[in-house]
Amino acid sequence: MSSADATAPRKFRFAAGGEGNAEEGGARRFVKLAQKAEELGYDSFMIPDHLGNQVGPIAALGALAVATDKIRLGTAVLANGFRHPAVLAKDAATIDVLSGGRLELGIGAGWMKEEFDKGGITYDSPGVRIAKLAETLEILDTLLRGQECNFQGEYYQINGLKGSPRPRQGPRPPIAVGGGGPKMLALAAKYADIISLAPPSNRDGKMLLSGITMEATAARVDRIREAAGDRFDDIELNWTITTIMPTDDREAMAEMALAALANGYPPNIEVDVTLTVEDILNSPYLAFGTYEEIADQIRAVRARTSMSYVGIFPTQMDAFAPVITQLKGE
């Protein structure tokens, strides 16, 4: 079966994001950023989770819960190793109640070794980080339903703890899991309501260039489809466009991107393949062209992969807003 399903496609949703760092105007401007995303028509506002130059996501969500009205609020994505799941469940349930049922809880295994090292937090092997995340997802699933959790895992033990407060969303707030490798995608397929598809990275956390193509992305979706079985149609698939470049000459912009990659820019990418201009223009993760061309490209991504939930990097919120106007309601 191909990645395009015979059933009607999911409607597009659009996620803006913010970190509250100096480039965005600092933590004090952070609330205004989320309010602006709401005004521009974004469906959700996501906060990443790093120990570096950004706001703390849990505290920030608490502030946004009362400073915004309609926009959904979430994390993209929490590093599981930073928090115990019993404590996280309490914070998440509280935010869901305070926001009137607008939380999307995104969580991953954690991948930036440097941050764990700087914070003095144990950075486990990939296998252990994924195993810990699997236990966390099981615990969150119980506690976020307001149920009593009794869990005896290898890494976490919960004894008769009842989830409270009871979240506003039923049966529980949606859980999003982000990942790019086969093990993470299989885990997400088992537990997640929303799966964030990232290109795989190497052991140093550099993103593999081979993972950004349409073909590689469709293959990741097929892997999820296989692992999810009957659950697949209930899962919303998300991806984040890393670069948006409005231009009248898509091909020239793609050639410039290829030249930059050949010169080692951006430095967080491992160039493990040689891509063509066509590969760049078809990639779900890059958006070059007029607003109409970018909208058509996003339609093509959904048609090929069934991904429908589009994320935007914090600094590109304004640049992408005209594309939302083109796609809203589709």
Side-chain angles (χ1 to χ4, degrees), residues 262-316:
N263 288 318
Y265 182 84
N268 62 337
I269 291 182
E270 181 186 320
V271 181
D272 60 332
V273 286
T274 304
L275 297 184
T276 64
V277 165
E278 193 178 355
D279 290 330
I280 294 287
L281 293 179
N282 289 334
S283 170
Y285 298 93
L286 304 168
F288 302 158
T290 63
Y291 296 126
E292 291 80 8
E293 285 171 333
I294 292 173
D296 281 341
Q297 179 189 349
I298 290 168
R299 289 184 188 105
V301 170
R302 182 176 66 178
R304 174 73 195 275
T305 66
S306 75
M307 299 193 304
S308 58
Y309 188 6
V310 188
I312 307 303
F313 272 173
T315 50
Q316 307 227 276

Coordinates of all heavy atoms in Angstrom, one line a residue, residues 262-316:
A262 N 27.2 22.3 0.2 CA 28.5 21.9 -0.2 C 29.6 22.6 0.6 O 30.8 22.1 0.7 CB 28.7 22.1 -1.7
N263 N 29.3 23.8 1.1 CA 30.3 24.6 1.8 C 30.2 24.4 3.3 O 30.7 25.1 4.1 CB 30.2 26.1 1.5 CG 30.7 26.4 0.1 OD1 31.7 25.9 -0.3 ND2 30.0 27.2 -0.6
G264 N 29.4 23.4 3.7 CA 29.3 23.0 5.2 C 28.3 23.9 5.9 O 28.4 24.0 7.2
Y265 N 27.4 24.5 5.2 CA 26.3 25.3 5.9 C 24.9 24.7 5.6 O 24.7 24.4 4.5 CB 26.4 26.7 5.5 CG 25.4 27.6 6.3 CD1 25.6 28.1 7.5 CD2 24.1 27.8 5.7 CE1 24.7 28.8 8.3 CE2 23.1 28.5 6.4 CZ 23.5 29.0 7.7 OH 22.5 29.7 8.4
P266 N 24.0 24.5 6.6 CA 24.3 24.8 8.0 C 25.1 23.7 8.7 O 25.1 22.5 8.2 CB 22.8 24.8 8.6 CG 22.0 24.0 7.6 CD 22.6 24.2 6.3
P267 N 25.8 24.0 9.7 CA 26.8 23.0 10.3 C 26.1 21.8 11.0 O 26.8 20.9 11.3 CB 27.6 23.9 11.3 CG 26.7 25.1 11.6 CD 25.9 25.3 10.4
N268 N 24.8 21.9 11.3 CA 24.1 20.8 12.0 C 23.6 19.8 11.1 O 22.8 18.9 11.5 CB 23.0 21.4 12.9 CG 21.9 22.1 12.1 OD1 22.2 22.5 11.0 ND2 20.7 22.1 12.6
I269 N 24.1 19.8 9.8 CA 23.6 18.8 8.9 C 24.8 17.9 8.4 O 25.9 18.5 8.1 CB 22.9 19.4 7.6 CG1 21.6 20.0 8.1 CG2 22.7 18.4 6.5 CD1 20.8 20.6 7.0
E270 N 24.7 16.6 8.4 CA 25.7 15.7 7.8 C 25.3 15.5 6.4 O 24.3 14.9 6.1 CB 25.8 14.4 8.6 CG 26.9 13.5 8.0 CD 27.0 12.1 8.6 OE1 26.8 12.1 9.9 OE2 27.2 11.2 7.9
V271 N 26.2 15.9 5.5 CA 25.9 15.7 4.0 C 26.3 14.3 3.6 O 27.5 14.0 3.3 CB 26.6 16.8 3.2 CG1 26.3 16.6 1.7 CG2 26.3 18.2 3.6
D272 N 25.4 13.4 3.8 CA 25.7 11.9 3.5 C 25.2 11.5 2.1 O 25.4 10.3 1.8 CB 25.0 11.1 4.6 CG 23.5 11.2 4.7 OD1 23.0 12.3 4.3 OD2 22.8 10.2 5.1
V273 N 24.6 12.4 1.3 CA 24.2 12.1 0.0 C 24.4 13.4 -0.9 O 24.5 14.5 -0.3 CB 22.7 11.7 -0.1 CG1 22.5 10.3 0.4 CG2 21.8 12.7 0.5
T274 N 24.3 13.2 -2.2 CA 24.3 14.3 -3.1 C 22.9 14.5 -3.6 O 22.3 13.6 -4.2 CB 25.3 14.1 -4.3 OG1 26.6 13.8 -3.8 CG2 25.3 15.3 -5.2
L275 N 22.3 15.6 -3.3 CA 20.9 15.9 -3.8 C 20.8 16.7 -5.0 O 21.8 17.4 -5.3 CB 20.1 16.6 -2.6 CG 19.9 15.8 -1.3 CD1 19.1 16.6 -0.4 CD2 19.4 14.4 -1.5
T276 N 19.7 16.6 -5.8 CA 19.5 17.4 -6.9 C 18.6 18.6 -6.6 O 18.0 18.6 -5.5 CB 18.8 16.6 -8.0 OG1 17.5 16.2 -7.5 CG2 19.6 15.3 -8.4
V277 N 18.5 19.5 -7.5 CA 17.6 20.7 -7.3 C 16.2 20.2 -7.1 O 15.4 20.7 -6.2 CB 17.6 21.6 -8.6 CG1 16.5 22.6 -8.6 CG2 18.9 22.4 -8.6
E278 N 15.8 19.1 -7.9 CA 14.4 18.5 -7.7 C 14.2 18.0 -6.3 O 13.2 18.1 -5.7 CB 14.2 17.5 -8.8 CG 12.8 17.0 -8.9 CD 12.6 16.0 -10.0 OE1 13.5 15.7 -10.7 OE2 11.4 15.5 -10.1
D279 N 15.3 17.3 -5.8 CA 15.2 16.8 -4.4 C 14.9 17.9 -3.4 O 14.1 17.7 -2.5 CB 16.5 16.1 -4.0 CG 16.7 14.8 -4.7 OD1 15.7 14.1 -5.1 OD2 17.9 14.4 -4.9
I280 N 15.6 19.0 -3.6 CA 15.4 20.1 -2.7 C 14.0 20.7 -2.8 O 13.3 21.0 -1.8 CB 16.5 21.2 -3.0 CG1 17.9 20.7 -2.7 CG2 16.2 22.5 -2.2 CD1 18.2 20.6 -1.2
L281 N 13.5 20.9 -4.0 CA 12.2 21.5 -4.2 C 11.1 20.6 -3.8 O 10.0 21.1 -3.4 CB 12.1 21.9 -5.7 CG 13.0 23.0 -6.2 CD1 12.7 23.2 -7.7 CD2 12.8 24.3 -5.4
N282 N 11.3 19.3 -3.8 CA 10.2 18.4 -3.3 C 10.3 18.1 -1.9 O 9.3 17.4 -1.3 CB 10.3 17.1 -4.1 CG 9.9 17.3 -5.6 OD1 9.1 18.2 -5.9 ND2 10.4 16.5 -6.5
S283 N 11.4 18.5 -1.2 CA 11.5 18.1 0.2 C 10.4 18.7 1.1 O 10.1 19.9 1.0 CB 12.9 18.6 0.7 OG 12.9 18.4 2.2
P284 N 9.8 17.9 1.9 CA 8.8 18.5 2.9 C 9.4 19.5 3.8 O 8.7 20.3 4.4 CB 8.3 17.3 3.6 CG 8.6 16.1 2.8 CD 9.9 16.4 2.1
Y285 N 10.7 19.4 4.1 CA 11.3 20.2 5.1 C 11.8 21.6 4.6 O 12.3 22.4 5.4 CB 12.5 19.4 5.7 CG 12.0 18.2 6.4 CD1 11.9 17.0 5.7 CD2 11.5 18.2 7.7 CE1 11.4 15.8 6.3 CE2 11.0 17.0 8.3 CZ 11.0 15.8 7.6 OH 10.4 14.7 8.2
L286 N 11.7 21.9 3.3 CA 12.2 23.1 2.8 C 11.0 23.7 1.9 O 10.3 23.0 1.2 CB 13.4 23.0 1.9 CG 14.6 22.3 2.5 CD1 15.6 21.9 1.5 CD2 15.2 23.2 3.6
A287 N 10.8 25.0 2.0 CA 9.7 25.7 1.3 C 10.3 26.9 0.6 O 10.5 28.0 1.2 CB 8.6 26.1 2.2
F288 N 10.5 26.7 -0.7 CA 11.0 27.8 -1.6 C 9.9 28.2 -2.6 O 9.3 27.2 -3.2 CB 12.3 27.4 -2.3 CG 13.4 27.0 -1.4 CD1 14.4 26.2 -1.9 CD2 13.5 27.4 -0.1 CE1 15.5 25.8 -1.1 CE2 14.5 27.0 0.7 CZ 15.5 26.3 0.2
G289 N 9.7 29.4 -2.9 CA 8.8 29.8 -4.0 C 7.8 30.9 -3.6 O 7.9 31.5 -2.5
T290 N 6.9 31.2 -4.5 CA 5.8 32.1 -4.2 C 4.9 31.4 -3.1 O 4.9 30.2 -2.9 CB 5.0 32.4 -5.4 OG1 4.3 31.2 -5.9 CG2 5.8 33.0 -6.5
Y291 N 4.0 32.2 -2.5 CA 3.1 31.6 -1.5 C 2.2 30.6 -2.2 O 1.9 29.5 -1.5 CB 2.2 32.7 -0.9 CG 3.1 33.7 -0.1 CD1 3.0 35.1 -0.4 CD2 4.0 33.3 0.9 CE1 3.8 36.0 0.4 CE2 4.7 34.2 1.6 CZ 4.6 35.6 1.3 OH 5.4 36.5 2.0
E292 N 1.8 30.8 -3.4 CA 1.0 29.8 -4.1 C 1.8 28.5 -4.3 O 1.3 27.4 -4.2 CB 0.5 30.4 -5.5 CG -0.5 31.5 -5.3 CD 0.1 32.8 -5.0 OE1 1.3 33.0 -5.0 OE2 -0.7 33.8 -4.7
E293 N 3.1 28.7 -4.7 CA 3.9 27.5 -5.0 C 4.2 26.7 -3.7 O 4.1 25.5 -3.7 CB 5.2 27.9 -5.6 CG 5.1 28.3 -7.1 CD 6.3 28.9 -7.7 OE1 7.1 29.5 -6.9 OE2 6.5 28.8 -8.9
I294 N 4.4 27.4 -2.6 CA 4.6 26.8 -1.3 C 3.4 26.0 -0.9 O 3.4 24.9 -0.4 CB 5.1 27.8 -0.2 CG1 6.5 28.3 -0.6 CG2 5.1 27.1 1.1 CD1 7.0 29.4 0.3
A295 N 2.2 26.7 -1.1 CA 0.9 26.0 -0.7 C 0.7 24.7 -1.5 O 0.3 23.7 -1.0 CB -0.3 27.0 -0.9
D296 N 1.0 24.8 -2.8 CA 0.9 23.6 -3.7 C 1.9 22.5 -3.3 O 1.6 21.3 -3.3 CB 1.2 24.0 -5.2 CG 0.0 24.6 -5.8 OD1 -1.1 24.5 -5.3 OD2 0.2 25.3 -6.9
Q297 N 3.1 22.9 -2.9 CA 4.1 22.0 -2.4 C 3.6 21.2 -1.1 O 3.7 20.0 -1.0 CB 5.4 22.7 -2.1 CG 6.5 21.8 -1.6 CD 7.7 22.5 -1.1 OE1 7.8 23.7 -1.3 NE2 8.6 21.8 -0.4
I298 N 3.0 22.0 -0.2 CA 2.4 21.4 1.0 C 1.3 20.4 0.7 O 1.2 19.3 1.3 CB 2.1 22.5 2.0 CG1 3.3 23.1 2.5 CG2 1.2 21.9 3.2 CD1 3.1 24.4 3.3
R299 N 0.5 20.8 -0.3 CA -0.6 19.9 -0.7 C 0.0 18.6 -1.3 O -0.5 17.5 -1.0 CB -1.5 20.6 -1.8 CG -2.3 21.7 -1.3 CD -3.2 22.2 -2.4 NE -3.9 23.4 -2.0 CZ -3.7 24.7 -2.4 NH1 -2.6 24.9 -3.2 NH2 -4.4 25.7 -2.0
A300 N 1.1 18.7 -2.0 CA 1.7 17.6 -2.6 C 2.3 16.7 -1.5 O 2.3 15.4 -1.6 CB 2.8 18.0 -3.6
V301 N 2.9 17.3 -0.5 CA 3.4 16.5 0.6 C 2.3 15.7 1.3 O 2.5 14.5 1.5 CB 4.1 17.4 1.7 CG1 4.4 16.6 3.0 CG2 5.3 18.1 1.1
R302 N 1.1 16.3 1.5 CA 0.0 15.6 2.1 C -0.5 14.5 1.2 O -0.8 13.3 1.7 CB -1.1 16.5 2.5 CG -2.3 15.8 3.2 CD -3.4 16.8 3.6 NE -4.1 17.4 2.5 CZ -5.1 18.2 2.6 NH1 -5.6 18.5 3.8 NH2 -5.7 18.7 1.5
A303 N -0.6 14.7 -0.1 CA -1.1 13.7 -1.0 C -0.1 12.5 -1.0 O -0.6 11.4 -1.1 CB -1.2 14.3 -2.4
R304 N 1.2 12.7 -0.9 CA 2.1 11.6 -1.0 C 2.3 10.9 0.3 O 2.5 9.7 0.4 CB 3.5 12.2 -1.5 CG 4.6 11.2 -1.5 CD 4.5 10.2 -2.6 NE 5.4 9.1 -2.4 CZ 6.7 9.0 -2.8 NH1 7.2 10.1 -3.4 NH2 7.4 7.9 -2.6
T305 N 2.2 11.6 1.4 CA 2.6 11.0 2.7 C 1.5 10.9 3.8 O 1.7 10.3 4.8 CB 3.8 11.9 3.4 OG1 3.2 13.2 3.7 CG2 4.9 12.1 2.4
S306 N 0.4 11.7 3.5 CA -0.7 11.8 4.5 C -0.3 12.7 5.7 O -1.1 12.8 6.6 CB -1.3 10.5 5.0 OG -0.4 9.8 5.9
M307 N 0.9 13.3 5.7 CA 1.2 14.3 6.7 C 0.4 15.6 6.5 O 0.3 16.0 5.4 CB 2.7 14.6 6.7 CG 3.6 13.5 6.9 SD 5.4 14.0 7.3 CE 5.8 15.0 5.9
S308 N -0.2 16.1 7.6 CA -1.1 17.2 7.4 C -0.9 18.3 8.4 O -1.5 19.4 8.3 CB -2.6 16.7 7.5 OG -2.8 16.1 8.8
Y309 N -0.1 18.1 9.4 CA 0.1 19.1 10.5 C 1.5 19.7 10.3 O 2.5 19.1 10.5 CB 0.0 18.3 11.8 CG -0.1 19.1 13.1 CD1 -0.1 20.5 13.1 CD2 0.0 18.5 14.4 CE1 -0.2 21.2 14.3 CE2 -0.1 19.2 15.5 CZ -0.2 20.6 15.5 OH -0.2 21.3 16.7
V310 N 1.5 21.0 9.9 CA 2.7 21.7 9.5 C 3.2 22.5 10.6 O 2.5 23.4 11.1 CB 2.4 22.6 8.3 CG1 3.7 23.1 7.7 CG2 1.6 21.8 7.2
G311 N 4.5 22.3 11.0 CA 5.2 23.1 12.0 C 6.1 24.1 11.3 O 6.7 23.9 10.3
I312 N 6.3 25.3 12.0 CA 7.1 26.4 11.5 C 8.1 26.7 12.6 O 7.7 26.8 13.8 CB 6.3 27.6 11.2 CG1 5.1 27.2 10.2 CG2 7.1 28.7 10.6 CD1 5.5 26.6 8.9
F313 N 9.3 27.0 12.2 CA 10.3 27.5 13.2 C 9.9 28.9 13.8 O 9.3 29.7 13.0 CB 11.7 27.5 12.7 CG 12.4 26.2 12.8 CD1 13.6 26.0 12.2 CD2 11.9 25.1 13.5 CE1 14.3 24.8 12.3 CE2 12.5 23.9 13.6 CZ 13.8 23.8 13.0
P314 N 10.3 29.2 15.0 CA 9.9 30.4 15.6 C 10.1 31.7 14.8 O 9.2 32.5 14.7 CB 10.7 30.5 16.9 CG 11.0 29.0 17.3 CD 11.0 28.3 16.0
T315 N 11.3 31.8 14.2 CA 11.6 33.0 13.5 C 10.9 33.2 12.1 O 11.0 34.2 11.5 CB 13.1 33.1 13.2 OG1 13.5 31.9 12.6 CG2 13.9 33.3 14.5
Q316 N 10.1 32.1 11.7 CA 9.5 32.2 10.4 C 8.0 32.3 10.4 O 7.3 32.1 9.4 CB 9.9 30.9 9.6 CG 11.4 30.7 9.6 CD 12.0 30.3 8.3 OE1 12.0 29.2 7.9 NE2 12.4 31.3 7.6

